[in-house]
Structures are given as C-alpha cells and as structure tokens.
Amino acid sequence: MKIRFWGVRGSISTPISVAQIQSKIVAVVAAISERDIKSENVRQKFISNIPEDMYGTIGGNTACVEVCNANGDRLIFDAGTGIRAYGKQFANEKNAEFHLLFSHFHWDHIQGLPFFDPAYKSDTILNIYSNYPNMRRFLRAQMEPPYFPVKIDSMTKNIVWHDIKDGVSFKIGSTEIVTKSMFHPGRSHSYLLKENGKRFIYATDVELQQQDFQKTEENAAFFENADVLVLDAQYTVEETALKEGWGHSAFCYAIDFAVFWNIHHLYLFHHDPTYDDKKIYTILKSAQWYSDYVCAGKVAVHLAIEGREIDL
C-alpha cells in the first residue's frame, strides 16, 4: 500500500497567513551567516538543513487520505478540501475508477466532493462507501441550491453506492477492509485495511474512550499490531479537558493508545485550525519525548503533512 496525505486539517480549512509566511522568512534570514552564502553548494546545504517548520507547511486542507493498493486501486478516505488537488492529476485520464470511503458526514469531510473534477467526467466510475444508509441524501443535500450551483446529478452516472456494516469485512481489489464505530458526535467510523500481511488504520474524528483500551476480541482484531495508525490528535491535554465530548483526542492519549495496542507508527492527524506550523511541530516534539518516556520510543510518532507519503 502507498498512502498519501492530501488534507490533514480538522474542522475547517486553514490557509497559511501572510503573518505566518513572514515569520518563517524572518526566522530563516536570522539563521543565515556569511559563510552560508559563499557558494552555490554551501547555499544548497544551508537550505537543506532548514527545519521543516520553517521551510515548508503542514498544509491547510481538510481530511483526505489516498491509499493505492497492490492492484493499483485508488482508495480515498474522506472528501475534505484536499480532494480537489488530488483530482487535478486525472484531467486527461479516461475510464478512471475511484473508491471513496467516508468516516462520517461532517462538513469538513465532504465539502471537497463538489470540486473533485473526475466526478464530472461521464466515463468515471465512482464507488462510494459508508456505514450511513442516508449517505445519498447527505451528499446530495450539500449540492442543492442555495448551497451550491451544480447538483450531484451533473456528476457521472456511474456512481455505485456501497452500504457497509461495522465488523463485516469487504474487499477492494487486493485489500481487505473492515470498519469500527468510535466516539464522536454523530459517530465516526474508523477503517482497518489489510494487505500482504500489512495493517493500516485510518481513525479520524475520534475521542478515545476507556472502552477503546479494553482487550476485547473486537478491539484486538481491529487495533492490535497495526503497522500504521493515522489517528485524530487535534488537541493538547488542556484542551481535551475543556472540550470533553467534542469528539477529538490529545496527542498523549494517542500515544498511550498506540503503546497499548503495540502499534508501530503513529501519525498525528486532523490538526486544529487554530494551530500554526510552529505549534504543531512543538506538539510533535512533545509527542516524541512522551513516546520515548513511556515506551522507549517503540512507537514512532510522525505528523500527517500534506504531500507526505508512506510506503507500507
């Protein structure tokens, strides 16, 4: 499986601000010394050593994660604003087929679908999967006047709706998939993908509960020994105390969860829209320190960043 992040923000899309860009430029300029500009090679070396939080950006698009399996099937998890850029690469492709799997239907996870260009091509096949029987009505509603000028009927006629159930596995090509309902206002469904002995979990919009740490047969079958877990870690601990019941987790609870279930790689996901890059990278450092403290770094902690790829 090849996994790529196209949207990693939670709640609402968050473009980088002018002030944030200026802050990065000031920080880089302040770090330059005379010896760093003596030659082209030296300049390139300086640039390559600029910290990630100053050189790039986490990204501002809402949730959208692509998985390409061994068969070449295209699986897309959620249709946040990140799906718009994902679709641009298929402008000249004929008879393209996509598998779009929804965790739930809060706006930040569906608002990119009307801007997914391949969906308007008559030869596109669009498979849509959800645990919600009303998914057709939900997606149609956001494209009705006065909310959007183009109706869903303008999309390809080759939309295939797949009603799925928690705990009942299904296959897309070479990938076996099963879903699990987790705590979030209105519920959210996490996905476990299994292929060639590898296990990948997409678990966004999750407020971890005590029962998620119980060694039940269902929990163990879903979480235990996963190779990669993409998990909602929107808040700091302080914020989770203030926002109990809002449906999101803190990075330290995410690490405790990964340690408990012997998960190898944890990607912090669904970043808060009020956090700038600097704060998110500070959270990463704290998370990595915490992982070292509680499990000697056995859980590798990463950030979900737009454009980042994982080969599994």
Side-chain angles (χ1 to χ4, degrees):
M1 288 180 279
K2 178 170 281 189
I3 302 147
R4 182 182 173 98
F5 295 104
W6 291 90
V8 298
R9 288 281 179 171
S11 303
I12 192 169
S13 57
T14 312
I16 190 168
S17 70
V18 172
Q20 289 166 1
I21 294 171
Q22 290 172 344
S23 177
K24 289 175 185 284
I25 294 171
V26 169
V28 171
V29 171
I32 298 174
S33 66
E34 186 176 348
R35 64 177 178 272
D36 294 321
I37 57 174
K38 284 184 175 179
S39 69
E40 179 64 25
N41 287 339
V42 171
R43 287 193 292 271
Q44 288 300 324
K45 184 177 180 180
F46 172 80
I47 290 171
S48 66
N49 288 324
I50 295 173
E52 280 188 294
D53 62 312
M54 291 193 291
Y55 188 67
T57 182
I58 299 295
N61 284 299
T62 59
C64 183
V65 178
E66 170 197 8
V67 176
C68 186
N69 67 13
N71 277 16
D73 299 303
R74 298 165 180 144
L75 286 65
I76 313 164
F77 291 88
D78 285 327
T81 58
I83 201 173
R84 185 196 68 84
Y86 171 72
K88 294 298 182 184
Q89 63 189 304
F90 303 107
N92 298 318
E93 184 168 334
K94 295 181 179 180
N95 303 309
E97 183 170 7
F98 304 92
H99 301 268
L100 179 53
L101 304 98
F102 284 98
S103 62
H104 64 310
F105 290 89
H106 285 170
W107 206 355
D108 52 322
H109 293 258
I110 66 173
Q111 63 191 153
L113 185 59
F115 301 92
F116 182 49
D117 292 350
Y120 296 94
K121 297 175 67 176
S122 62
D123 57 353
T124 292
I125 300 172
L126 184 59
N127 297 279
I128 299 179
Y129 303 76
S130 172
N131 299 76
Y132 295 83
N134 290 324
M135 61 178 160
R136 300 159 181 80
R137 178 168 62 85
F138 296 157
L139 294 179
R140 180 177 294 275
Q142 76 160 341
M143 297 182 68
E144 291 289 333
Y147 308 113
F148 200 74
V150 180
K151 292 189 175 184
I152 199 170
D153 294 334
S154 298
M155 289 184 172
T156 175
K157 305 307 179 187
N158 304 315
I159 297 179
V160 184
W161 305 90
H162 300 266
D163 294 290
I164 57 179
K165 297 183 181 298
D166 282 336
V168 180
S169 66
F170 60 99
K171 295 197 78 172
I172 297 177
S174 53
T175 306
E176 181 183 354
I177 305 171
V178 66
T179 65
K180 187 179 190 305
S181 178
M182 301 186 75
F183 180 79
H184 187 73
R187 309 300 290 176
S188 180
H189 298 266
S190 298
Y191 285 82
L192 166 65
L193 281 64
K194 296 185 283 187
E195 182 179 84
N196 296 330
K198 300 293 186 180
R199 296 164 59 85
F200 168 69
I201 298 173
Y202 174 74
T204 188
D205 293 66
V206 171
E207 185 172 343
L208 291 169
Q209 304 289 295
Q210 188 63 42
Q211 61 262 29
D212 297 323
F213 291 85
Q214 294 175 355
K215 287 275 187 178
T216 65
E217 184 177 345
E218 178 189 4
N219 282 347
F222 196 89
F223 297 116
E224 199 159 35
N225 300 320
D227 296 282
V228 173
L229 168 64
V230 173
L231 180 61
D232 184 322
Q234 182 163 339
Y235 296 143
T236 61
V237 177
E238 294 81 5
E239 283 187 306
T240 56
L242 295 171
K243 298 177 179 179
E244 185 177 356
W246 287 35
H248 304 287
S249 298
F251 70 86
C252 56
Y253 301 150
I255 292 167
D256 290 339
F257 183 77
V259 171
F260 185 83
W261 290 111
N262 191 36
I263 292 167
H264 306 141
H265 290 272
L266 169 66
Y267 283 78
L268 307 179
F269 185 69
H270 207 265
H271 308 304
D272 194 274
T274 64
Y275 295 173
D276 61 14
D277 291 332
K278 184 176 181 180
K279 179 160 185 174
I280 294 172
Y281 275 101
T282 299
I283 288 173
L284 173 64
K285 288 180 181 178
S286 298
Q288 290 171 334
W289 174 87
Y290 184 70
S291 177
D292 288 339
Y293 176 74
V294 297
C295 67
K298 290 180 181 178
V299 175
V301 184
H302 316 270
L303 286 180
I305 297 173
E306 281 186 33
R308 175 161 287 176
E309 294 184 350
I310 308 166
D311 284 313
L312 184 59

